[in-house]
Amino acid sequence: MRPAERDALPGATLAWLLAALALALAPHLARLPLWASGLAVLIGISRWLLHRAGRPLPPRLVVLLLTLACAAGVALSYGTLLGRGAGVALLSTMLACKLLETHTARDTLLVIALGYFLVATNLLFSQELPLALYLLVAVVALTGALIELTRPAGAWRINLRLAGRMLVQALPITLVVFLLFPRVPTPLWGLPRDVTSGLSGLSNELRMGAISQLSLSDAVAFRVRFDGPPPPRAQRYWRGPVLWRTDGRRWSQGIFGEARARPGSAARLQPRGPPADYVVTLEPHGERWLLALDLPGAVEAEGYFTEDFQYLARHPVVDVRRYRARSYPEYSTADETRWMLQRALQLPAEVSPRVRELAERWRAAAEPAAVVAAALEHFRREPFVYTLNPPLLGADPVDEFLFESRRGFCEHYAASFVTLMRLAGSPARIVTGYLGGELNPLGDYLIVRQADAHAWAEVWLGDRGWVRVDPTAAVAPERIERSIAPLDAAVGAPVQFQVDVPEGLLRYLRSVRNGWDALRNGWIEWVIGYGPEMQRRFLSAVGMGRLDWRGMTAALTVAVALLLGAVAFSLLRTPGTREDPTTRLYRRFCRKLTRRGLDRRAHEGPLYFAARVGTSRPELRPKVELITDLYVALRYGARTQPALLEQLRRSVQAFRP
């Protein structure tokens, strides 16, 4: 077994290294297995204590066994050594083990390089603006550690200042690479976040109570920027999954699973008013639907229209998706197949006599449009309550809701209404999505939150086609005009709606929230959302619209080469302009002697030159030796000393040979 290595790293260098790695690792600690996080922290502390105590590093065999144990632990924790989570855990533990054998400049350089890679792995889990700003701090710290490695014992403020300056100087090249690097439709390095964490307020099926449990979430679902004024709030229905089949408690899209593509679906739309053009910035939700204002006529995104006017992406939405769309808030539809209408009449195997009797009474008395009006009047007339916390329902939720509890949320009203319409002979279906949206005046766009999740109905009315009917509006018309206030309430308590923000602190807090959201929206639109489509638009705007990935790669190479050439030219053009103050003062001292015939020769060092000047001009010896000693101490000493630099400046200024 080889003997333990001696720690040859200076204390300042090791402190920089450990602090920078701690910043890079910190966001991962909560997502790593507990043993991996604890081990990484323990090794970092142990490495510092070994250095302070002057003890040798562990033998190579110990480090090797610990490394193998970490690899085995990652494999047991994740079931693999591959993938996002396992890969980050393996990198973190291996990097920690590497610290136990890092004792030379070469080892430190390798650890710093791995630290940069560890910083980048944080973006595999999130690309939010706060994390990006934090990671920028970690990059500055790692760069400061690199500077400390090449210039030991430098002042930490000077290292940070130089690291920041280097990153600013790298911005032009970074911007060129960002704009011209060929983009692909899917992320290069994996998912930006866990998309199965229930961030979406929607689902491919509906159970009474599901949306009510998520309606209190203040998380952003998507943002919308209209080309002109947005439509009235009562027309802001954002279409998501359409549900056809029910067993009495659960509603789903049907026996065929996902809605099927139907070419020409948008052509069946008959506008009854002006269109609304807008751009949606959709947050990841892990499903395939692309939300659009009801009813969409065109969506500029890779996907397809379904038979029930949904627009589905080809792949699950696992990153921020930005697309343009055109919709018609006022419309009618036509040309429906008999099979689709039969599908919209499907009923549970068992329906209670009371529910059947209510629907039959309406069916015998009126046409389909009048049946709809009678059902809405029933909801208005009877003591129904719109509540976020409805009481539990039993085996027949529709019957219990209509005749006993009469307290429910939007899915209760939509499911009961569609059931009644089908019993009355009118084809109907449930549409889920979002309703409303809050205007952010600082960014001039709408914010639609998970609290705006909603469910409504569509009824087939002959020549008018599918007509949107929202039974919730009959019970709580405020829901159409206002968003729900996310407040806890007792079971069955009526919903409270948001009111106008009063003057004072609440208005200030709302402004702060809007300002932050506007900043985050800009980050999403122009950085995270800079995908293939936006890159094509940018290249077209600068006259490079016909470039394929080969042309973009060539343009990127040329642009980076030109920038590097400009940097090199600026560094080499005036070699004296970047001298440090110590060298600049010494050159001034040498020029004063040159004017008196005492040239410093190319082979002469400062001490040899001073000795020659003292021999030739003994009267100058004390001042020359003082200036030379100050220069040598500052130029070749461990660190810059402001007092000595000031003394050198005064001595050179007063020197009159």
PDB file of all heavy atoms in Angstrom, residues 438-439 482 497-514:
ATOM      1  N   GLU A 438     -55.432  36.686 -14.815  1.00  0.00           N
ATOM      2  CA  GLU A 438     -55.160  37.978 -14.173  1.00  0.00           C
ATOM      3  C   GLU A 438     -54.214  38.781 -15.048  1.00  0.00           C
ATOM      4  O   GLU A 438     -53.172  38.287 -15.487  1.00  0.00           O
ATOM      5  CB  GLU A 438     -54.541  37.727 -12.791  1.00  0.00           C
ATOM      6  CG  GLU A 438     -54.047  38.976 -12.088  1.00  0.00           C
ATOM      7  CD  GLU A 438     -53.225  38.660 -10.860  1.00  0.00           C
ATOM      8  OE1 GLU A 438     -53.088  37.463 -10.522  1.00  0.00           O
ATOM      9  OE2 GLU A 438     -52.706  39.603 -10.244  1.00  0.00           O
ATOM     10  N   LEU A 439     -54.568  40.034 -15.330  1.00  0.00           N
ATOM     11  CA  LEU A 439     -53.733  40.895 -16.161  1.00  0.00           C
ATOM     12  C   LEU A 439     -52.562  41.429 -15.347  1.00  0.00           C
ATOM     13  O   LEU A 439     -52.746  41.995 -14.268  1.00  0.00           O
ATOM     14  CB  LEU A 439     -54.553  42.055 -16.719  1.00  0.00           C
ATOM     15  CG  LEU A 439     -53.775  43.047 -17.602  1.00  0.00           C
ATOM     16  CD1 LEU A 439     -53.280  42.354 -18.871  1.00  0.00           C
ATOM     17  CD2 LEU A 439     -54.630  44.256 -17.936  1.00  0.00           C
ATOM     18  N   ARG A 482     -64.648  36.826 -11.588  1.00  0.00           N
ATOM     19  CA  ARG A 482     -63.565  36.942 -10.609  1.00  0.00           C
ATOM     20  C   ARG A 482     -62.903  35.584 -10.396  1.00  0.00           C
ATOM     21  O   ARG A 482     -63.526  34.544 -10.589  1.00  0.00           O
ATOM     22  CB  ARG A 482     -64.088  37.469  -9.267  1.00  0.00           C
ATOM     23  CG  ARG A 482     -64.681  38.874  -9.336  1.00  0.00           C
ATOM     24  CD  ARG A 482     -65.112  39.339  -7.949  1.00  0.00           C
ATOM     25  NE  ARG A 482     -65.765  40.629  -8.007  1.00  0.00           N
ATOM     26  CZ  ARG A 482     -65.119  41.784  -7.937  1.00  0.00           C
ATOM     27  NH1 ARG A 482     -63.801  41.784  -7.818  1.00  0.00           N
ATOM     28  NH2 ARG A 482     -65.772  42.927  -7.992  1.00  0.00           N
ATOM     29  N   PHE A 497     -64.476  35.018  -3.392  1.00  0.00           N
ATOM     30  CA  PHE A 497     -63.823  35.446  -4.622  1.00  0.00           C
ATOM     31  C   PHE A 497     -62.904  36.625  -4.342  1.00  0.00           C
ATOM     32  O   PHE A 497     -63.102  37.388  -3.394  1.00  0.00           O
ATOM     33  CB  PHE A 497     -64.867  35.823  -5.679  1.00  0.00           C
ATOM     34  CG  PHE A 497     -65.727  34.665  -6.097  1.00  0.00           C
ATOM     35  CD1 PHE A 497     -66.951  34.444  -5.490  1.00  0.00           C
ATOM     36  CD2 PHE A 497     -65.306  33.793  -7.073  1.00  0.00           C
ATOM     37  CE1 PHE A 497     -67.745  33.369  -5.866  1.00  0.00           C
ATOM     38  CE2 PHE A 497     -66.086  32.716  -7.460  1.00  0.00           C
ATOM     39  CZ  PHE A 497     -67.307  32.509  -6.848  1.00  0.00           C
ATOM     40  N   GLN A 498     -61.899  36.759  -5.206  1.00  0.00           N
ATOM     41  CA  GLN A 498     -60.968  37.865  -5.057  1.00  0.00           C
ATOM     42  C   GLN A 498     -61.674  39.188  -5.344  1.00  0.00           C
ATOM     43  O   GLN A 498     -62.526  39.281  -6.225  1.00  0.00           O
ATOM     44  CB  GLN A 498     -59.773  37.697  -6.000  1.00  0.00           C
ATOM     45  CG  GLN A 498     -58.877  36.529  -5.634  1.00  0.00           C
ATOM     46  CD  GLN A 498     -57.687  36.407  -6.558  1.00  0.00           C
ATOM     47  OE1 GLN A 498     -57.572  37.152  -7.532  1.00  0.00           O
ATOM     48  NE2 GLN A 498     -56.794  35.475  -6.259  1.00  0.00           N
ATOM     49  N   VAL A 499     -61.258  40.203  -4.604  1.00  0.00           N
ATOM     50  CA  VAL A 499     -61.805  41.543  -4.791  1.00  0.00           C
ATOM     51  C   VAL A 499     -60.677  42.455  -5.222  1.00  0.00           C
ATOM     52  O   VAL A 499     -59.501  42.084  -5.219  1.00  0.00           O
ATOM     53  CB  VAL A 499     -62.457  42.062  -3.493  1.00  0.00           C
ATOM     54  CG1 VAL A 499     -63.642  41.187  -3.111  1.00  0.00           C
ATOM     55  CG2 VAL A 499     -61.443  42.092  -2.347  1.00  0.00           C
ATOM     56  N   ASP A 500     -61.036  43.667  -5.613  1.00  0.00           N
ATOM     57  CA  ASP A 500     -60.021  44.622  -6.026  1.00  0.00           C
ATOM     58  C   ASP A 500     -59.059  44.896  -4.877  1.00  0.00           C
ATOM     59  O   ASP A 500     -59.456  44.996  -3.716  1.00  0.00           O
ATOM     60  CB  ASP A 500     -60.666  45.938  -6.466  1.00  0.00           C
ATOM     61  CG  ASP A 500     -61.498  45.749  -7.734  1.00  0.00           C
ATOM     62  OD1 ASP A 500     -61.199  44.808  -8.488  1.00  0.00           O
ATOM     63  OD2 ASP A 500     -62.439  46.540  -7.946  1.00  0.00           O
ATOM     64  N   VAL A 501     -57.774  45.023  -5.208  1.00  0.00           N
ATOM     65  CA  VAL A 501     -56.758  45.246  -4.188  1.00  0.00           C
ATOM     66  C   VAL A 501     -56.860  46.674  -3.679  1.00  0.00           C
ATOM     67  O   VAL A 501     -56.811  47.620  -4.464  1.00  0.00           O
ATOM     68  CB  VAL A 501     -55.349  44.989  -4.768  1.00  0.00           C
ATOM     69  CG1 VAL A 501     -54.289  45.233  -3.705  1.00  0.00           C
ATOM     70  CG2 VAL A 501     -55.265  43.579  -5.300  1.00  0.00           C
ATOM     71  N   PRO A 502     -57.012  46.878  -2.365  1.00  0.00           N
ATOM     72  CA  PRO A 502     -57.119  48.233  -1.850  1.00  0.00           C
ATOM     73  C   PRO A 502     -55.777  48.949  -1.865  1.00  0.00           C
ATOM     74  O   PRO A 502     -54.742  48.376  -2.170  1.00  0.00           O
ATOM     75  CB  PRO A 502     -57.614  48.006  -0.408  1.00  0.00           C
ATOM     76  CG  PRO A 502     -57.073  46.661  -0.055  1.00  0.00           C
ATOM     77  CD  PRO A 502     -57.114  45.866  -1.325  1.00  0.00           C
ATOM     78  N   GLU A 503     -55.807  50.234  -1.509  1.00  0.00           N
ATOM     79  CA  GLU A 503     -54.576  51.003  -1.410  1.00  0.00           C
ATOM     80  C   GLU A 503     -53.751  50.497  -0.232  1.00  0.00           C
ATOM     81  O   GLU A 503     -54.258  49.871   0.690  1.00  0.00           O
ATOM     82  CB  GLU A 503     -54.899  52.496  -1.229  1.00  0.00           C
ATOM     83  CG  GLU A 503     -55.660  53.117  -2.384  1.00  0.00           C
ATOM     84  CD  GLU A 503     -54.812  53.224  -3.638  1.00  0.00           C
ATOM     85  OE1 GLU A 503     -53.564  53.152  -3.514  1.00  0.00           O
ATOM     86  OE2 GLU A 503     -55.382  53.372  -4.729  1.00  0.00           O
ATOM     87  N   GLY A 504     -52.464  50.825  -0.258  1.00  0.00           N
ATOM     88  CA  GLY A 504     -51.627  50.484   0.876  1.00  0.00           C
ATOM     89  C   GLY A 504     -50.737  49.291   0.613  1.00  0.00           C
ATOM     90  O   GLY A 504     -50.306  49.030  -0.515  1.00  0.00           O
ATOM     91  N   LEU A 505     -50.473  48.537   1.687  1.00  0.00           N
ATOM     92  CA  LEU A 505     -49.500  47.458   1.626  1.00  0.00           C
ATOM     93  C   LEU A 505     -49.890  46.373   0.637  1.00  0.00           C
ATOM     94  O   LEU A 505     -49.048  45.862  -0.107  1.00  0.00           O
ATOM     95  CB  LEU A 505     -49.320  46.856   3.024  1.00  0.00           C
ATOM     96  CG  LEU A 505     -48.318  45.701   3.137  1.00  0.00           C
ATOM     97  CD1 LEU A 505     -46.929  46.153   2.720  1.00  0.00           C
ATOM     98  CD2 LEU A 505     -48.299  45.138   4.552  1.00  0.00           C
ATOM     99  N   LEU A 506     -51.189  45.985   0.595  1.00  0.00           N
ATOM    100  CA  LEU A 506     -51.602  44.915  -0.301  1.00  0.00           C
ATOM    101  C   LEU A 506     -51.375  45.297  -1.761  1.00  0.00           C
ATOM    102  O   LEU A 506     -50.956  44.464  -2.569  1.00  0.00           O
ATOM    103  CB  LEU A 506     -53.069  44.566  -0.060  1.00  0.00           C
ATOM    104  CG  LEU A 506     -53.376  43.893   1.285  1.00  0.00           C
ATOM    105  CD1 LEU A 506     -54.862  43.615   1.404  1.00  0.00           C
ATOM    106  CD2 LEU A 506     -52.585  42.601   1.431  1.00  0.00           C
ATOM    107  N   ARG A 507     -51.660  46.537  -2.108  1.00  0.00           N
ATOM    108  CA  ARG A 507     -51.416  46.962  -3.486  1.00  0.00           C
ATOM    109  C   ARG A 507     -49.925  46.955  -3.795  1.00  0.00           C
ATOM    110  O   ARG A 507     -49.516  46.583  -4.899  1.00  0.00           O
ATOM    111  CB  ARG A 507     -52.004  48.350  -3.711  1.00  0.00           C
ATOM    112  CG  ARG A 507     -51.846  48.859  -5.147  1.00  0.00           C
ATOM    113  CD  ARG A 507     -52.562  50.174  -5.349  1.00  0.00           C
ATOM    114  NE  ARG A 507     -54.003  49.996  -5.253  1.00  0.00           N
ATOM    115  CZ  ARG A 507     -54.780  49.604  -6.269  1.00  0.00           C
ATOM    116  NH1 ARG A 507     -54.223  49.347  -7.440  1.00  0.00           N
ATOM    117  NH2 ARG A 507     -56.072  49.482  -6.124  1.00  0.00           N
ATOM    118  N   TYR A 508     -49.110  47.355  -2.820  1.00  0.00           N
ATOM    119  CA  TYR A 508     -47.666  47.321  -3.026  1.00  0.00           C
ATOM    120  C   TYR A 508     -47.180  45.886  -3.220  1.00  0.00           C
ATOM    121  O   TYR A 508     -46.368  45.603  -4.106  1.00  0.00           O
ATOM    122  CB  TYR A 508     -46.963  47.963  -1.834  1.00  0.00           C
ATOM    123  CG  TYR A 508     -45.463  47.811  -1.856  1.00  0.00           C
ATOM    124  CD1 TYR A 508     -44.675  48.574  -2.716  1.00  0.00           C
ATOM    125  CD2 TYR A 508     -44.828  46.883  -1.022  1.00  0.00           C
ATOM    126  CE1 TYR A 508     -43.293  48.420  -2.739  1.00  0.00           C
ATOM    127  CE2 TYR A 508     -43.457  46.727  -1.042  1.00  0.00           C
ATOM    128  CZ  TYR A 508     -42.698  47.494  -1.904  1.00  0.00           C
ATOM    129  OH  TYR A 508     -41.333  47.339  -1.941  1.00  0.00           O
ATOM    130  N   LEU A 509     -47.686  44.967  -2.397  1.00  0.00           N
ATOM    131  CA  LEU A 509     -47.284  43.565  -2.530  1.00  0.00           C
ATOM    132  C   LEU A 509     -47.715  42.995  -3.866  1.00  0.00           C
ATOM    133  O   LEU A 509     -46.985  42.213  -4.481  1.00  0.00           O
ATOM    134  CB  LEU A 509     -47.870  42.753  -1.377  1.00  0.00           C
ATOM    135  CG  LEU A 509     -47.326  43.073   0.020  1.00  0.00           C
ATOM    136  CD1 LEU A 509     -48.046  42.247   1.073  1.00  0.00           C
ATOM    137  CD2 LEU A 509     -45.826  42.833   0.089  1.00  0.00           C
ATOM    138  N   ARG A 510     -48.911  43.377  -4.331  1.00  0.00           N
ATOM    139  CA  ARG A 510     -49.357  42.911  -5.644  1.00  0.00           C
ATOM    140  C   ARG A 510     -48.443  43.439  -6.745  1.00  0.00           C
ATOM    141  O   ARG A 510     -48.117  42.722  -7.695  1.00  0.00           O
ATOM    142  CB  ARG A 510     -50.802  43.368  -5.871  1.00  0.00           C
ATOM    143  CG  ARG A 510     -51.353  43.050  -7.254  1.00  0.00           C
ATOM    144  CD  ARG A 510     -51.532  41.550  -7.459  1.00  0.00           C
ATOM    145  NE  ARG A 510     -52.488  41.002  -6.530  1.00  0.00           N
ATOM    146  CZ  ARG A 510     -53.805  41.003  -6.742  1.00  0.00           C
ATOM    147  NH1 ARG A 510     -54.313  41.551  -7.833  1.00  0.00           N
ATOM    148  NH2 ARG A 510     -54.608  40.445  -5.858  1.00  0.00           N
ATOM    149  N   SER A 511     -47.999  44.695  -6.609  1.00  0.00           N
ATOM    150  CA  SER A 511     -47.094  45.261  -7.609  1.00  0.00           C
ATOM    151  C   SER A 511     -45.754  44.532  -7.617  1.00  0.00           C
ATOM    152  O   SER A 511     -45.177  44.271  -8.670  1.00  0.00           O
ATOM    153  CB  SER A 511     -46.875  46.753  -7.338  1.00  0.00           C
ATOM    154  OG  SER A 511     -48.096  47.463  -7.410  1.00  0.00           O
ATOM    155  N   VAL A 512     -45.265  44.201  -6.421  1.00  0.00           N
ATOM    156  CA  VAL A 512     -44.000  43.465  -6.337  1.00  0.00           C
ATOM    157  C   VAL A 512     -44.143  42.099  -6.997  1.00  0.00           C
ATOM    158  O   VAL A 512     -43.265  41.659  -7.753  1.00  0.00           O
ATOM    159  CB  VAL A 512     -43.563  43.322  -4.873  1.00  0.00           C
ATOM    160  CG1 VAL A 512     -42.383  42.366  -4.749  1.00  0.00           C
ATOM    161  CG2 VAL A 512     -43.192  44.677  -4.295  1.00  0.00           C
ATOM    162  N   ARG A 513     -45.252  41.408  -6.726  1.00  0.00           N
ATOM    163  CA  ARG A 513     -45.460  40.092  -7.325  1.00  0.00           C
ATOM    164  C   ARG A 513     -45.564  40.197  -8.837  1.00  0.00           C
ATOM    165  O   ARG A 513     -44.998  39.382  -9.570  1.00  0.00           O
ATOM    166  CB  ARG A 513     -46.712  39.437  -6.752  1.00  0.00           C
ATOM    167  CG  ARG A 513     -46.904  38.006  -7.234  1.00  0.00           C
ATOM    168  CD  ARG A 513     -48.035  37.306  -6.547  1.00  0.00           C
ATOM    169  NE  ARG A 513     -49.326  37.714  -7.072  1.00  0.00           N
ATOM    170  CZ  ARG A 513     -50.446  37.013  -6.944  1.00  0.00           C
ATOM    171  NH1 ARG A 513     -50.426  35.870  -6.284  1.00  0.00           N
ATOM    172  NH2 ARG A 513     -51.580  37.443  -7.425  1.00  0.00           N
ATOM    173  N   ASN A 514     -46.278  41.217  -9.335  1.00  0.00           N
ATOM    174  CA  ASN A 514     -46.391  41.393 -10.786  1.00  0.00           C
ATOM    175  C   ASN A 514     -45.042  41.717 -11.410  1.00  0.00           C
ATOM    176  O   ASN A 514     -44.721  41.248 -12.515  1.00  0.00           O
ATOM    177  CB  ASN A 514     -47.390  42.501 -11.104  1.00  0.00           C
ATOM    178  CG  ASN A 514     -48.825  42.075 -10.871  1.00  0.00           C
ATOM    179  OD1 ASN A 514     -49.138  40.883 -10.858  1.00  0.00           O
ATOM    180  ND2 ASN A 514     -49.710  43.034 -10.676  1.00  0.00           N
TER     181      ASN A 514
END
